[in-house]
Amino acid sequence: NSARLRQGLTDAGFDTGESTTQIVPVLLGTNERALDTAQGMRDEGFEVRAIRAPTVPDGTARLRLSLTADLPPDAIDNLVDAMIRFHPDGARVR
């Protein structure tokens, strides 16, 4: 599931860092962008967390997406689609 999510987000232009675990970061840059995106994803029905400075270095604020093994593939695809709707240019919005 995490590999499917990382691939979908990467293909859409998002930076998922170097994670290879079930926790997938989506680097968004500013604290404001991470908070706004997290709220937008919650509005779409996804429970995501914004991780921002000082927890991470300035300029590397991100979403932390944590997946479970029983998540259906269409839920992952829907999350990617929601991220694309919120940021049509992916991570290039920085």
Side-chain angles (χ1 to χ4, degrees):
N1 281 343
S2 60
R4 182 186 187 100
L5 178 59
R6 272 191 296 280
Q7 188 64 56
L9 290 169
T10 300
D11 288 351
F14 292 95
D15 182 354
T16 61
E18 297 182 20
S19 172
T20 59
T21 69
Q22 80 280 6
I23 298 173
V24 178
V26 181
L27 283 79
L28 294 170
T30 67
N31 288 351
E32 181 178 90
R33 184 169 290 123
L35 287 169
D36 288 348
T37 304
Q39 183 59 55
M41 293 302 97
R42 283 192 297 275
D43 292 347
E44 292 276 338
F46 298 98
E47 188 60 37
V48 300
R49 301 280 183 258
I51 309 300
R52 50 198 198 276
T55 304
V56 295
D58 282 336
T60 66
R62 64 200 66 191
L63 300 183
R64 179 175 288 161
L65 308 177
S66 184
L67 305 177
T68 61
D70 62 348
L71 196 63
D74 63 323
I76 295 167
D77 296 342
N78 290 339
L79 174 58
V80 172
D81 291 343
M83 288 290 295
I84 292 168
R85 282 193 304 277
F86 202 80
H87 289 300
D89 294 325
R92 294 178 290 270
V93 297
R94 286 193 218 177

